Amino acid sequence: MVSAPHEAMHRVFQEYPSLFTSVSEALGVTFPPATSAKVMTTDLTENRPLERRVDTLLRIETENDGPFLLAVEAQGKKDPDKPTSWAYYLAHLLEKYRLPTTLLVVCQDRGTAAWAARPVPLGAPQWPALTLRPLVAGPHNMPLITDVAEARKDPAFTTLALITHADDPDIGAILKTLSTTLRDTPESIANPLIELTAQGLGNRPAARQWRNLVAVDLSFYTSPLSEEIRDEGRLEGRAKGRAEDILRLLELRGVPVPDEARQKIADCDDLHLLDQWFSSAVTATTAEDVFTEE
């Protein structure tokens, strides 16, 4: 199953196709500046029962050097089957479109990035017919952006760089830099980046940090993530109020509530369960009676 970080690492190029100009500069490879870019179909299937799809495919136009194709692959771990698949993608695209084609592999850990970046000879060991050489972006060569002025120059590039550094010990500072940057970014640009950042962090602890920053620094936006966070906040508020109602009811009825039971009620965020406990509290003679319907 494709993970959320995998999707974010290549989808950011679909949302911001001109991003590759900044990425190639960061990787020290000179490509002609893009004048425009177009997202193309990722389906590389032929008329046989074998389906192959590249993660993202872009046709990038340049001012003086003509168009070229960029195939973007997100890679989460070493996979011995990938080099031949990537070679197939490149050969198929070159044959189909007759345009210069580059493969960019985006990674989130150094081991996978080093594995993906190595030249892979394909064919007989005595005389390899092809050598695969992907361009690789990962934590080993993408910048750690913690300066807001630098981040503001290219928010999409800053987002991709952050995603590649999702496991960095200083991820909190990187997240704060991006959230500060997006506060001054038009909503049409910021909203996809908010979602892509959340996706790129997956289920890491940093994902909770990002949600907290979105709730505070970017609370005025109406992105799906910010709306989800607001909904969570409203539910948490209702649950807290219901828990207080139960404890107040028991207090008024003179029912002793031990610390353990009080904590259990206060920590509960299940409104349906809290409603059951409230009904039980109306007739309960001990705190334990409140939980008998669980």
Side-chain angles (χ1 to χ4, degrees):
M1 182 177 178
V2 175
S3 67
H6 177 280
E7 285 291 296
M9 283 190 284
H10 70 85
R11 261 197 58 223
V12 65
F13 288 89
Q14 296 177 18
E15 297 285 347
Y16 305 92
S18 60
L19 172 61
F20 182 63
T21 298
S22 299
V23 174
S24 63
E25 289 175 359
L27 303 186
V29 181
T30 303
F31 279 81
T35 56
S36 65
K38 175 186 176 184
V39 179
M40 302 176 68
T41 177
T42 60
D43 191 347
L44 306 184
T45 308
E46 296 184 19
N47 292 327
R48 54 180 176 168
L50 178 65
E51 183 178 298
R52 294 183 185 271
R53 290 179 185 272
V54 67
D55 287 340
T56 289
L57 180 63
L58 303 174
R59 176 187 170 116
I60 297 179
E61 303 289 340
T62 66
E63 187 170 356
N64 300 315
D65 297 87
F68 68 94
L69 297 182
L70 175 67
V72 184
E73 284 278 294
Q75 193 65 30
K77 61 182 180 180
K78 299 175 185 178
D79 182 349
D81 294 330
K82 272 297 180 180
T84 52
S85 294
W86 290 339
Y88 173 88
Y89 298 164
L90 292 171
H92 178 89
L93 291 169
L94 287 164
E95 172 66 21
K96 182 175 181 178
Y97 294 104
R98 302 299 174 106
L99 290 173
T101 303
T102 295
L103 171 65
L104 173 68
V105 181
V106 186
C107 306
Q108 288 182 296
D109 71 88
R110 292 175 181 271
T112 302
W115 166 83
R118 77 203 195 291
V120 179
L122 300 169
Q126 298 85 350
W127 192 271
L130 300 169
T131 299
L132 179 73
R133 283 190 66 215
L135 188 60
V136 177
H140 65 301
N141 59 4
M142 290 291 279
L144 254 169
I145 301 176
T146 55
D147 179 74
V148 174
E150 183 183 354
R152 282 178 176 149
K153 295 175 184 176
D154 194 336
F157 178 72
T158 300
T159 299
L160 179 66
L162 182 154
I163 290 170
T164 64
H165 288 286
D167 294 313
D168 193 277
D170 292 328
I171 188 63
I174 308 170
L175 290 169
K176 183 61 179 177
T177 299
L178 180 60
S179 69
T180 302
T181 298
L182 295 183
R183 288 171 63 180
D184 302 323
T185 303
E187 194 166 338
S188 60
I189 297 173
N191 280 351
L193 295 178
I194 292 171
E195 305 300 322
L196 285 164
T197 301
Q199 226 181 355
L201 294 172
N203 57 7
R204 295 172 173 83
R208 172 53 59 180
Q209 290 179 258
W210 181 242
R211 294 176 73 87
N212 291 338
L213 286 169
V214 171
V216 177
D217 290 355
L218 304 171
S219 59
F220 48 87
Y221 280 145
T222 56
S223 70
L225 180 62
S226 60
E227 288 299 305
E228 180 184 326
I229 291 171
R230 290 187 190 105
D231 289 342
E232 286 179 1
R234 285 189 281 267
L235 287 173
E236 288 173 5
R238 289 172 59 193
K240 182 179 179 181
R242 200 56 166 162
E244 292 172 351
D245 290 343
I246 294 169
L247 294 171
R248 178 63 175 161
L249 176 60
L250 293 171
E251 180 185 345
L252 291 172
R253 297 189 59 248
V255 178
V257 183
D259 289 344
E260 185 178 349
R262 183 178 298 275
Q263 195 65 46
K264 181 176 181 178
I265 294 169
D267 289 345
C268 183
D269 59 4
D270 185 331
L271 277 171
H272 179 68
L273 185 57
L274 287 166
D275 284 341
Q276 288 184 353
W277 290 351
F278 184 85
S279 298
S280 298
V282 173
T283 57
T285 57
T286 68
E288 277 304 310
D289 292 342
V290 174
F291 311 120
T292 55
E293 296 300 319
E294 287 187 64

